[in-house]
PDB file of all heavy atoms in Angstrom:
ATOM      1  N   ASP A   1      27.085  -1.205 -33.210  1.00 97.00           N
ATOM      2  CA  ASP A   1      28.198  -1.837 -33.979  1.00 97.00           C
ATOM      3  C   ASP A   1      28.633  -3.076 -33.316  1.00 97.00           C
ATOM      4  O   ASP A   1      28.897  -4.134 -34.004  1.00 97.00           O
ATOM      5  CB  ASP A   1      29.346  -0.769 -34.128  1.00 97.00           C
ATOM      6  CG  ASP A   1      29.856  -0.286 -32.830  1.00 97.00           C
ATOM      7  OD1 ASP A   1      29.121  -0.246 -31.856  1.00 97.00           O
ATOM      8  OD2 ASP A   1      31.081   0.058 -32.856  1.00 97.00           O
ATOM      9  N   LEU A   2      28.825  -3.056 -31.986  1.00 98.00           N
ATOM     10  CA  LEU A   2      29.325  -4.240 -31.282  1.00 98.00           C
ATOM     11  C   LEU A   2      28.187  -5.255 -31.113  1.00 98.00           C
ATOM     12  O   LEU A   2      28.446  -6.487 -31.093  1.00 98.00           O
ATOM     13  CB  LEU A   2      29.815  -3.897 -29.982  1.00 98.00           C
ATOM     14  CG  LEU A   2      31.054  -2.974 -29.937  1.00 98.00           C
ATOM     15  CD1 LEU A   2      31.667  -2.725 -28.609  1.00 98.00           C
ATOM     16  CD2 LEU A   2      32.156  -3.630 -30.839  1.00 98.00           C
ATOM     17  N   TRP A   3      26.881  -4.869 -31.013  1.00 98.00           N
ATOM     18  CA  TRP A   3      25.787  -5.856 -31.015  1.00 98.00           C
ATOM     19  C   TRP A   3      25.761  -6.603 -32.313  1.00 98.00           C
ATOM     20  O   TRP A   3      25.592  -7.855 -32.346  1.00 98.00           O
ATOM     21  CB  TRP A   3      24.488  -5.153 -30.822  1.00 98.00           C
ATOM     22  CG  TRP A   3      23.264  -6.035 -30.991  1.00 98.00           C
ATOM     23  CD1 TRP A   3      22.734  -6.812 -29.969  1.00 98.00           C
ATOM     24  CD2 TRP A   3      22.460  -6.276 -32.128  1.00 98.00           C
ATOM     25  NE1 TRP A   3      21.683  -7.542 -30.504  1.00 98.00           N
ATOM     26  CE2 TRP A   3      21.516  -7.174 -31.856  1.00 98.00           C
ATOM     27  CE3 TRP A   3      22.516  -5.751 -33.408  1.00 98.00           C
ATOM     28  CZ2 TRP A   3      20.543  -7.624 -32.782  1.00 98.00           C
ATOM     29  CZ3 TRP A   3      21.609  -6.050 -34.333  1.00 98.00           C
ATOM     30  CH2 TRP A   3      20.655  -7.016 -34.020  1.00 98.00           C
ATOM     31  N   GLU A   4      25.923  -5.944 -33.494  1.00 97.00           N
ATOM     32  CA  GLU A   4      25.908  -6.527 -34.774  1.00 97.00           C
ATOM     33  C   GLU A   4      27.064  -7.542 -34.780  1.00 97.00           C
ATOM     34  O   GLU A   4      26.857  -8.657 -35.320  1.00 97.00           O
ATOM     35  CB  GLU A   4      26.180  -5.427 -35.760  1.00 97.00           C
ATOM     36  CG  GLU A   4      26.015  -5.945 -37.224  1.00 97.00           C
ATOM     37  CD  GLU A   4      24.612  -6.248 -37.705  1.00 97.00           C
ATOM     38  OE1 GLU A   4      23.703  -5.541 -37.213  1.00 97.00           O
ATOM     39  OE2 GLU A   4      24.452  -7.209 -38.407  1.00 97.00           O
ATOM     40  N   LYS A   5      28.214  -7.271 -34.341  1.00 97.00           N
ATOM     41  CA  LYS A   5      29.362  -8.101 -34.382  1.00 97.00           C
ATOM     42  C   LYS A   5      29.282  -9.267 -33.420  1.00 97.00           C
ATOM     43  O   LYS A   5      29.748 -10.404 -33.698  1.00 97.00           O
ATOM     44  CB  LYS A   5      30.643  -7.303 -34.147  1.00 97.00           C
ATOM     45  CG  LYS A   5      31.948  -8.086 -34.110  1.00 97.00           C
ATOM     46  CD  LYS A   5      33.101  -7.140 -33.779  1.00 97.00           C
ATOM     47  CE  LYS A   5      34.340  -7.927 -33.712  1.00 97.00           C
ATOM     48  NZ  LYS A   5      35.568  -7.043 -33.388  1.00 97.00           N
ATOM     49  N   THR A   6      28.683  -9.023 -32.242  1.00 97.00           N
ATOM     50  CA  THR A   6      28.738 -10.035 -31.140  1.00 97.00           C
ATOM     51  C   THR A   6      27.600 -10.994 -31.154  1.00 97.00           C
ATOM     52  O   THR A   6      27.792 -12.294 -31.006  1.00 97.00           O
ATOM     53  CB  THR A   6      28.850  -9.288 -29.776  1.00 97.00           C
ATOM     54  OG1 THR A   6      29.883  -8.384 -29.847  1.00 97.00           O
ATOM     55  CG2 THR A   6      29.111 -10.290 -28.657  1.00 97.00           C
ATOM     56  N   VAL A   7      26.374 -10.495 -31.231  1.00 97.00           N
ATOM     57  CA  VAL A   7      25.210 -11.485 -30.958  1.00 97.00           C
ATOM     58  C   VAL A   7      24.117 -11.354 -32.031  1.00 97.00           C
ATOM     59  O   VAL A   7      23.145 -12.091 -32.001  1.00 97.00           O
ATOM     60  CB  VAL A   7      24.553 -11.211 -29.571  1.00 97.00           C
ATOM     61  CG1 VAL A   7      25.547 -11.526 -28.477  1.00 97.00           C
ATOM     62  CG2 VAL A   7      23.980  -9.852 -29.446  1.00 97.00           C
ATOM     63  N   SER A   8      24.216 -10.396 -33.038  1.00 96.00           N
ATOM     64  CA  SER A   8      23.099 -10.288 -33.978  1.00 96.00           C
ATOM     65  C   SER A   8      22.793 -11.626 -34.676  1.00 96.00           C
ATOM     66  O   SER A   8      21.648 -11.802 -35.020  1.00 96.00           O
ATOM     67  CB  SER A   8      23.454  -9.209 -34.986  1.00 96.00           C
ATOM     68  OG  SER A   8      24.560  -9.534 -35.823  1.00 96.00           O
ATOM     69  N   GLN A   9      23.794 -12.349 -34.960  1.00 95.00           N
ATOM     70  CA  GLN A   9      23.588 -13.677 -35.672  1.00 95.00           C
ATOM     71  C   GLN A   9      23.759 -14.916 -34.764  1.00 95.00           C
ATOM     72  O   GLN A   9      23.814 -16.020 -35.224  1.00 95.00           O
ATOM     73  CB  GLN A   9      24.633 -13.766 -36.856  1.00 95.00           C
ATOM     74  CG  GLN A   9      24.545 -12.641 -37.817  1.00 95.00           C
ATOM     75  CD  GLN A   9      23.177 -12.500 -38.549  1.00 95.00           C
ATOM     76  OE1 GLN A   9      22.573 -13.546 -38.941  1.00 95.00           O
ATOM     77  NE2 GLN A   9      22.666 -11.298 -38.555  1.00 95.00           N
ATOM     78  N   TRP A  10      23.893 -14.646 -33.506  1.00 97.00           N
ATOM     79  CA  TRP A  10      24.054 -15.779 -32.553  1.00 97.00           C
ATOM     80  C   TRP A  10      22.682 -16.261 -32.113  1.00 97.00           C
ATOM     81  O   TRP A  10      21.637 -15.815 -32.589  1.00 97.00           O
ATOM     82  CB  TRP A  10      24.803 -15.194 -31.293  1.00 97.00           C
ATOM     83  CG  TRP A  10      25.196 -16.186 -30.309  1.00 97.00           C
ATOM     84  CD1 TRP A  10      26.098 -17.299 -30.536  1.00 97.00           C
ATOM     85  CD2 TRP A  10      24.843 -16.396 -28.917  1.00 97.00           C
ATOM     86  NE1 TRP A  10      26.233 -18.051 -29.472  1.00 97.00           N
ATOM     87  CE2 TRP A  10      25.416 -17.548 -28.472  1.00 97.00           C
ATOM     88  CE3 TRP A  10      23.967 -15.664 -28.157  1.00 97.00           C
ATOM     89  CZ2 TRP A  10      25.258 -17.936 -27.114  1.00 97.00           C
ATOM     90  CZ3 TRP A  10      23.689 -16.111 -26.879  1.00 97.00           C
ATOM     91  CH2 TRP A  10      24.371 -17.149 -26.370  1.00 97.00           C
ATOM     92  N   TRP A  11      22.766 -17.376 -31.317  1.00 97.00           N
ATOM     93  CA  TRP A  11      21.453 -18.089 -30.873  1.00 97.00           C
ATOM     94  C   TRP A  11      20.439 -17.178 -30.246  1.00 97.00           C
ATOM     95  O   TRP A  11      19.246 -17.327 -30.450  1.00 97.00           O
ATOM     96  CB  TRP A  11      21.818 -19.249 -29.926  1.00 97.00           C
ATOM     97  CG  TRP A  11      20.795 -20.114 -29.599  1.00 97.00           C
ATOM     98  CD1 TRP A  11      20.293 -21.152 -30.439  1.00 97.00           C
ATOM     99  CD2 TRP A  11      20.056 -20.150 -28.390  1.00 97.00           C
ATOM    100  NE1 TRP A  11      19.341 -21.819 -29.660  1.00 97.00           N
ATOM    101  CE2 TRP A  11      19.119 -21.254 -28.506  1.00 97.00           C
ATOM    102  CE3 TRP A  11      20.129 -19.483 -27.145  1.00 97.00           C
ATOM    103  CZ2 TRP A  11      18.262 -21.571 -27.461  1.00 97.00           C
ATOM    104  CZ3 TRP A  11      19.199 -19.785 -26.141  1.00 97.00           C
ATOM    105  CH2 TRP A  11      18.336 -20.842 -26.310  1.00 97.00           C
ATOM    106  N   ALA A  12      20.892 -16.211 -29.456  1.00 97.00           N
ATOM    107  CA  ALA A  12      19.959 -15.224 -28.805  1.00 97.00           C
ATOM    108  C   ALA A  12      20.473 -13.846 -29.100  1.00 97.00           C
ATOM    109  O   ALA A  12      21.530 -13.475 -28.612  1.00 97.00           O
ATOM    110  CB  ALA A  12      19.954 -15.478 -27.264  1.00 97.00           C
ATOM    111  N   SER A  13      19.706 -13.026 -29.818  1.00 97.00           N
ATOM    112  CA  SER A  13      20.114 -11.704 -30.147  1.00 97.00           C
ATOM    113  C   SER A  13      19.597 -10.609 -29.183  1.00 97.00           C
ATOM    114  O   SER A  13      20.012  -9.538 -29.194  1.00 97.00           O
ATOM    115  CB  SER A  13      19.711 -11.324 -31.580  1.00 97.00           C
ATOM    116  OG  SER A  13      18.358 -11.371 -31.722  1.00 97.00           O
ATOM    117  N   SER A  14      18.604 -11.042 -28.392  1.00 97.00           N
ATOM    118  CA  SER A  14      17.964 -10.154 -27.405  1.00 97.00           C
ATOM    119  C   SER A  14      18.716 -10.202 -26.127  1.00 97.00           C
ATOM    120  O   SER A  14      18.996 -11.419 -25.626  1.00 97.00           O
ATOM    121  CB  SER A  14      16.519 -10.363 -27.226  1.00 97.00           C
ATOM    122  OG  SER A  14      15.817 -10.183 -28.424  1.00 97.00           O
ATOM    123  N   VAL A  15      19.047  -9.158 -25.406  1.00 98.00           N
ATOM    124  CA  VAL A  15      19.847  -9.121 -24.236  1.00 98.00           C
ATOM    125  C   VAL A  15      19.052  -8.651 -23.013  1.00 98.00           C
ATOM    126  O   VAL A  15      18.431  -7.588 -23.060  1.00 98.00           O
ATOM    127  CB  VAL A  15      21.039  -8.209 -24.474  1.00 98.00           C
ATOM    128  CG1 VAL A  15      22.036  -8.271 -23.264  1.00 98.00           C
ATOM    129  CG2 VAL A  15      21.818  -8.562 -25.774  1.00 98.00           C
ATOM    130  N   PHE A  16      19.069  -9.458 -21.942  1.00 98.00           N
ATOM    131  CA  PHE A  16      18.351  -9.225 -20.685  1.00 98.00           C
ATOM    132  C   PHE A  16      19.482  -8.999 -19.587  1.00 98.00           C
ATOM    133  O   PHE A  16      20.203  -9.888 -19.268  1.00 98.00           O
ATOM    134  CB  PHE A  16      17.527 -10.385 -20.356  1.00 98.00           C
ATOM    135  CG  PHE A  16      16.616 -10.242 -19.114  1.00 98.00           C
ATOM    136  CD1 PHE A  16      15.308  -9.812 -19.242  1.00 98.00           C
ATOM    137  CD2 PHE A  16      17.139 -10.479 -17.828  1.00 98.00           C
ATOM    138  CE1 PHE A  16      14.461  -9.715 -18.167  1.00 98.00           C
ATOM    139  CE2 PHE A  16      16.322 -10.301 -16.735  1.00 98.00           C
ATOM    140  CZ  PHE A  16      14.978  -9.979 -16.889  1.00 98.00           C
ATOM    141  N   VAL A  17      19.603  -7.781 -19.288  1.00 98.00           N
ATOM    142  CA  VAL A  17      20.666  -7.342 -18.263  1.00 98.00           C
ATOM    143  C   VAL A  17      19.898  -7.252 -16.952  1.00 98.00           C
ATOM    144  O   VAL A  17      18.949  -6.607 -16.833  1.00 98.00           O
ATOM    145  CB  VAL A  17      21.315  -5.956 -18.645  1.00 98.00           C
ATOM    146  CG1 VAL A  17      22.444  -5.720 -17.677  1.00 98.00           C
ATOM    147  CG2 VAL A  17      21.781  -6.053 -20.080  1.00 98.00           C
ATOM    148  N   PHE A  18      20.582  -7.807 -15.921  1.00 98.00           N
ATOM    149  CA  PHE A  18      19.844  -7.835 -14.634  1.00 98.00           C
ATOM    150  C   PHE A  18      20.855  -7.746 -13.402  1.00 98.00           C
ATOM    151  O   PHE A  18      22.011  -8.098 -13.598  1.00 98.00           O
ATOM    152  CB  PHE A  18      18.896  -9.052 -14.449  1.00 98.00           C
ATOM    153  CG  PHE A  18      19.635 -10.355 -14.267  1.00 98.00           C
ATOM    154  CD1 PHE A  18      19.789 -10.949 -12.976  1.00 98.00           C
ATOM    155  CD2 PHE A  18      20.069 -11.069 -15.430  1.00 98.00           C
ATOM    156  CE1 PHE A  18      20.443 -12.128 -12.813  1.00 98.00           C
ATOM    157  CE2 PHE A  18      20.730 -12.336 -15.236  1.00 98.00           C
ATOM    158  CZ  PHE A  18      20.904 -12.857 -13.958  1.00 98.00           C
ATOM    159  N   THR A  19      20.337  -7.273 -12.359  1.00 98.00           N
ATOM    160  CA  THR A  19      21.015  -7.273 -11.113  1.00 98.00           C
ATOM    161  C   THR A  19      20.156  -7.742  -9.945  1.00 98.00           C
ATOM    162  O   THR A  19      18.940  -7.568 -10.067  1.00 98.00           O
ATOM    163  CB  THR A  19      21.615  -5.904 -10.810  1.00 98.00           C
ATOM    164  OG1 THR A  19      22.293  -5.802  -9.488  1.00 98.00           O
ATOM    165  CG2 THR A  19      20.504  -4.830 -10.729  1.00 98.00           C
ATOM    166  N   PHE A  20      20.773  -8.236  -8.862  1.00 98.00           N
ATOM    167  CA  PHE A  20      20.039  -8.593  -7.723  1.00 98.00           C
ATOM    168  C   PHE A  20      19.845  -7.470  -6.722  1.00 98.00           C
ATOM    169  O   PHE A  20      19.219  -7.569  -5.652  1.00 98.00           O
ATOM    170  CB  PHE A  20      20.607  -9.814  -6.981  1.00 98.00           C
ATOM    171  CG  PHE A  20      20.669 -11.034  -7.862  1.00 98.00           C
ATOM    172  CD1 PHE A  20      21.791 -11.563  -8.372  1.00 98.00           C
ATOM    173  CD2 PHE A  20      19.484 -11.689  -8.209  1.00 98.00           C
ATOM    174  CE1 PHE A  20      21.833 -12.632  -9.224  1.00 98.00           C
ATOM    175  CE2 PHE A  20      19.417 -12.762  -8.987  1.00 98.00           C
ATOM    176  CZ  PHE A  20      20.659 -13.353  -9.439  1.00 98.00           C
ATOM    177  N   GLU A  21      20.291  -6.291  -7.052  1.00 97.00           N
ATOM    178  CA  GLU A  21      20.197  -5.129  -6.282  1.00 97.00           C
ATOM    179  C   GLU A  21      18.889  -4.361  -6.741  1.00 97.00           C
ATOM    180  O   GLU A  21      18.900  -3.905  -7.926  1.00 97.00           O
ATOM    181  CB  GLU A  21      21.334  -4.121  -6.370  1.00 97.00           C
ATOM    182  CG  GLU A  21      21.190  -2.848  -5.500  1.00 97.00           C
ATOM    183  CD  GLU A  21      22.443  -1.993  -5.613  1.00 97.00           C
ATOM    184  OE1 GLU A  21      23.487  -2.441  -5.026  1.00 97.00           O
ATOM    185  OE2 GLU A  21      22.354  -0.943  -6.167  1.00 97.00           O
ATOM    186  N   THR A  22      17.846  -4.294  -6.013  1.00 97.00           N
ATOM    187  CA  THR A  22      16.554  -3.766  -6.542  1.00 97.00           C
ATOM    188  C   THR A  22      16.186  -2.384  -5.936  1.00 97.00           C
ATOM    189  O   THR A  22      16.726  -1.973  -4.959  1.00 97.00           O
ATOM    190  CB  THR A  22      15.463  -4.810  -6.193  1.00 97.00           C
ATOM    191  OG1 THR A  22      15.314  -4.931  -4.819  1.00 97.00           O
ATOM    192  CG2 THR A  22      15.727  -6.157  -6.812  1.00 97.00           C
ATOM    193  N   GLU A  23      15.245  -1.746  -6.597  1.00 96.00           N
ATOM    194  CA  GLU A  23      14.822  -0.478  -6.174  1.00 96.00           C
ATOM    195  C   GLU A  23      13.583  -0.580  -5.150  1.00 96.00           C
ATOM    196  O   GLU A  23      13.502   0.184  -4.281  1.00 96.00           O
ATOM    197  CB  GLU A  23      14.294   0.327  -7.355  1.00 96.00           C
ATOM    198  CG  GLU A  23      13.877   1.807  -7.017  1.00 96.00           C
ATOM    199  CD  GLU A  23      13.806   2.687  -8.274  1.00 96.00           C
ATOM    200  OE1 GLU A  23      14.532   2.400  -9.136  1.00 96.00           O
ATOM    201  OE2 GLU A  23      12.962   3.604  -8.211  1.00 96.00           O
ATOM    202  N   THR A  24      12.785  -1.642  -5.457  1.00 95.00           N
ATOM    203  CA  THR A  24      11.585  -1.887  -4.424  1.00 95.00           C
ATOM    204  C   THR A  24      11.919  -2.957  -3.574  1.00 95.00           C
ATOM    205  O   THR A  24      12.567  -3.993  -3.990  1.00 95.00           O
ATOM    206  CB  THR A  24      10.345  -2.180  -5.232  1.00 95.00           C
ATOM    207  OG1 THR A  24      10.539  -3.356  -6.085  1.00 95.00           O
ATOM    208  CG2 THR A  24      10.011  -0.958  -6.201  1.00 95.00           C
ATOM    209  N   PRO A  25      11.468  -2.922  -2.284  1.00 95.00           N
ATOM    210  CA  PRO A  25      11.839  -3.959  -1.253  1.00 95.00           C
ATOM    211  C   PRO A  25      11.249  -5.302  -1.605  1.00 95.00           C
ATOM    212  O   PRO A  25      11.841  -6.361  -1.199  1.00 95.00           O
ATOM    213  CB  PRO A  25      11.360  -3.421  -0.023  1.00 95.00           C
ATOM    214  CG  PRO A  25      10.292  -2.466  -0.385  1.00 95.00           C
ATOM    215  CD  PRO A  25      10.696  -1.869  -1.673  1.00 95.00           C
ATOM    216  N   GLN A  26      10.104  -5.380  -2.354  1.00 95.00           N
ATOM    217  CA  GLN A  26       9.491  -6.612  -2.620  1.00 95.00           C
ATOM    218  C   GLN A  26      10.085  -7.407  -3.782  1.00 95.00           C
ATOM    219  O   GLN A  26       9.808  -8.634  -3.982  1.00 95.00           O
ATOM    220  CB  GLN A  26       7.979  -6.446  -2.821  1.00 95.00           C
ATOM    221  CG  GLN A  26       7.590  -5.679  -4.093  1.00 95.00           C
ATOM    222  CD  GLN A  26       7.450  -4.245  -3.907  1.00 95.00           C
ATOM    223  OE1 GLN A  26       8.087  -3.643  -3.008  1.00 95.00           O
ATOM    224  NE2 GLN A  26       6.603  -3.548  -4.674  1.00 95.00           N
ATOM    225  N   ALA A  27      10.925  -6.778  -4.626  1.00 97.00           N
ATOM    226  CA  ALA A  27      11.458  -7.362  -5.788  1.00 97.00           C
ATOM    227  C   ALA A  27      12.810  -8.063  -5.386  1.00 97.00           C
ATOM    228  O   ALA A  27      13.595  -7.643  -4.492  1.00 97.00           O
ATOM    229  CB  ALA A  27      11.720  -6.352  -6.876  1.00 97.00           C
ATOM    230  N   GLN A  28      13.205  -9.050  -6.256  1.00 97.00           N
ATOM    231  CA  GLN A  28      14.453  -9.749  -6.139  1.00 97.00           C
ATOM    232  C   GLN A  28      15.366  -9.535  -7.265  1.00 97.00           C
ATOM    233  O   GLN A  28      16.553  -9.757  -7.199  1.00 97.00           O
ATOM    234  CB  GLN A  28      14.216 -11.285  -5.867  1.00 97.00           C
ATOM    235  CG  GLN A  28      13.568 -11.690  -4.605  1.00 97.00           C
ATOM    236  CD  GLN A  28      12.094 -11.384  -4.626  1.00 97.00           C
ATOM    237  OE1 GLN A  28      11.399 -11.741  -5.578  1.00 97.00           O
ATOM    238  NE2 GLN A  28      11.588 -10.838  -3.531  1.00 97.00           N
ATOM    239  N   VAL A  29      14.861  -9.064  -8.419  1.00 98.00           N
ATOM    240  CA  VAL A  29      15.594  -8.871  -9.615  1.00 98.00           C
ATOM    241  C   VAL A  29      15.236  -7.535 -10.265  1.00 98.00           C
ATOM    242  O   VAL A  29      14.047  -7.190 -10.383  1.00 98.00           O
ATOM    243  CB  VAL A  29      15.302 -10.014 -10.674  1.00 98.00           C
ATOM    244  CG1 VAL A  29      16.041  -9.806 -11.975  1.00 98.00           C
ATOM    245  CG2 VAL A  29      15.655 -11.363 -10.063  1.00 98.00           C
ATOM    246  N   HIS A  30      16.220  -6.730 -10.679  1.00 98.00           N
ATOM    247  CA  HIS A  30      16.006  -5.527 -11.457  1.00 98.00           C
ATOM    248  C   HIS A  30      16.612  -5.729 -12.830  1.00 98.00           C
ATOM    249  O   HIS A  30      17.756  -6.167 -12.973  1.00 98.00           O
ATOM    250  CB  HIS A  30      16.803  -4.382 -10.670  1.00 98.00           C
ATOM    251  CG  HIS A  30      16.588  -3.067 -11.293  1.00 98.00           C
ATOM    252  ND1 HIS A  30      15.562  -2.122 -10.857  1.00 98.00           N
ATOM    253  CD2 HIS A  30      17.201  -2.488 -12.307  1.00 98.00           C
ATOM    254  CE1 HIS A  30      15.638  -1.058 -11.527  1.00 98.00           C
ATOM    255  NE2 HIS A  30      16.592  -1.200 -12.563  1.00 98.00           N
ATOM    256  N   ALA A  31      15.874  -5.464 -13.911  1.00 98.00           N
ATOM    257  CA  ALA A  31      16.192  -5.820 -15.134  1.00 98.00           C
ATOM    258  C   ALA A  31      15.966  -4.782 -16.214  1.00 98.00           C
ATOM    259  O   ALA A  31      15.160  -3.878 -16.070  1.00 98.00           O
ATOM    260  CB  ALA A  31      15.494  -7.077 -15.574  1.00 98.00           C
ATOM    261  N   ARG A  32      16.705  -4.937 -17.321  1.00 98.00           N
ATOM    262  CA  ARG A  32      16.467  -4.170 -18.564  1.00 98.00           C
ATOM    263  C   ARG A  32      16.593  -5.114 -19.730  1.00 98.00           C
ATOM    264  O   ARG A  32      17.451  -6.032 -19.685  1.00 98.00           O
ATOM    265  CB  ARG A  32      17.512  -3.002 -18.726  1.00 98.00           C
ATOM    266  CG  ARG A  32      17.461  -1.990 -17.601  1.00 98.00           C
ATOM    267  CD  ARG A  32      18.560  -0.932 -17.745  1.00 98.00           C
ATOM    268  NE  ARG A  32      18.241   0.002 -18.922  1.00 98.00           N
ATOM    269  CZ  ARG A  32      18.984   0.935 -19.301  1.00 98.00           C
ATOM    270  NH1 ARG A  32      20.155   1.133 -18.709  1.00 98.00           N
ATOM    271  NH2 ARG A  32      18.660   1.697 -20.326  1.00 98.00           N
ATOM    272  N   THR A  33      15.775  -4.931 -20.787  1.00 98.00           N
ATOM    273  CA  THR A  33      15.779  -5.695 -21.928  1.00 98.00           C
ATOM    274  C   THR A  33      16.045  -4.913 -23.243  1.00 98.00           C
ATOM    275  O   THR A  33      15.375  -3.852 -23.338  1.00 98.00           O
ATOM    276  CB  THR A  33      14.503  -6.541 -22.117  1.00 98.00           C
ATOM    277  OG1 THR A  33      14.269  -7.371 -21.013  1.00 98.00           O
ATOM    278  CG2 THR A  33      14.532  -7.403 -23.359  1.00 98.00           C
ATOM    279  N   PHE A  34      16.973  -5.361 -23.985  1.00 98.00           N
ATOM    280  CA  PHE A  34      17.256  -4.722 -25.288  1.00 98.00           C
ATOM    281  C   PHE A  34      17.135  -5.741 -26.448  1.00 98.00           C
ATOM    282  O   PHE A  34      17.698  -6.789 -26.370  1.00 98.00           O
ATOM    283  CB  PHE A  34      18.748  -4.203 -25.286  1.00 98.00           C
ATOM    284  CG  PHE A  34      19.109  -3.328 -24.100  1.00 98.00           C
ATOM    285  CD1 PHE A  34      19.833  -3.793 -23.001  1.00 98.00           C
ATOM    286  CD2 PHE A  34      18.718  -2.006 -24.017  1.00 98.00           C
ATOM    287  CE1 PHE A  34      20.168  -3.040 -21.925  1.00 98.00           C
ATOM    288  CE2 PHE A  34      19.024  -1.214 -22.994  1.00 98.00           C
ATOM    289  CZ  PHE A  34      19.733  -1.666 -21.909  1.00 98.00           C
ATOM    290  N   ALA A  35      16.321  -5.362 -27.396  1.00 96.00           N
ATOM    291  CA  ALA A  35      16.028  -6.302 -28.515  1.00 96.00           C
ATOM    292  C   ALA A  35      16.128  -5.605 -29.840  1.00 96.00           C
ATOM    293  O   ALA A  35      15.070  -5.430 -30.533  1.00 96.00           O
ATOM    294  CB  ALA A  35      14.666  -6.952 -28.282  1.00 96.00           C
ATOM    295  N   PRO A  36      17.315  -5.240 -30.270  1.00 96.00           N
ATOM    296  CA  PRO A  36      17.391  -4.513 -31.568  1.00 96.00           C
ATOM    297  C   PRO A  36      16.950  -5.273 -32.707  1.00 96.00           C
ATOM    298  O   PRO A  36      16.459  -4.633 -33.709  1.00 96.00           O
ATOM    299  CB  PRO A  36      18.964  -4.287 -31.649  1.00 96.00           C
ATOM    300  CG  PRO A  36      19.508  -4.357 -30.224  1.00 96.00           C
ATOM    301  CD  PRO A  36      18.620  -5.348 -29.558  1.00 96.00           C
ATOM    302  N   ALA A  37      17.063  -6.586 -32.750  1.00 95.00           N
ATOM    303  CA  ALA A  37      16.570  -7.431 -33.891  1.00 95.00           C
ATOM    304  C   ALA A  37      15.068  -7.250 -34.138  1.00 95.00           C
ATOM    305  O   ALA A  37      14.589  -7.467 -35.256  1.00 95.00           O
ATOM    306  CB  ALA A  37      16.919  -8.866 -33.721  1.00 95.00           C
ATOM    307  N   PHE A  38      14.326  -6.874 -33.084  1.00 92.00           N
ATOM    308  CA  PHE A  38      12.879  -6.775 -33.207  1.00 92.00           C
ATOM    309  C   PHE A  38      12.557  -5.232 -33.323  1.00 92.00           C
ATOM    310  O   PHE A  38      11.378  -4.901 -33.169  1.00 92.00           O
ATOM    311  CB  PHE A  38      12.210  -7.403 -31.918  1.00 92.00           C
ATOM    312  CG  PHE A  38      12.317  -8.881 -31.821  1.00 92.00           C
ATOM    313  CD1 PHE A  38      13.368  -9.461 -31.092  1.00 92.00           C
ATOM    314  CD2 PHE A  38      11.563  -9.698 -32.621  1.00 92.00           C
ATOM    315  CE1 PHE A  38      13.445 -10.782 -31.051  1.00 92.00           C
ATOM    316  CE2 PHE A  38      11.662 -11.063 -32.554  1.00 92.00           C
ATOM    317  CZ  PHE A  38      12.573 -11.660 -31.772  1.00 92.00           C
TER     318      PHE A  38
END
């Protein structure tokens, strides 16, 4: 409901959430991607 209201019609509807705290020592970025429009 909030995705529809906030970004569904905005320039970028897909959301990439990330943190610099990683699970593996060789990585620098830990991420998740949500793309309801697709």
Side-chain angles (χ1 to χ4, degrees):
D1 57 332
L2 295 183
W3 173 84
E4 186 74 33
K5 178 182 178 180
T6 307
V7 298
S8 66
Q9 303 302 315
W10 188 63
W11 188 76
S13 62
S14 299
V15 185
F16 186 97
V17 187
F18 70 99
T19 177
F20 296 111
E21 183 180 289
T22 62
E23 184 166 330
T24 60
Q26 67 268 31
Q28 291 77 45
V29 176
H30 184 96
R32 300 178 70 183
T33 298
F34 307 101
F38 295 97

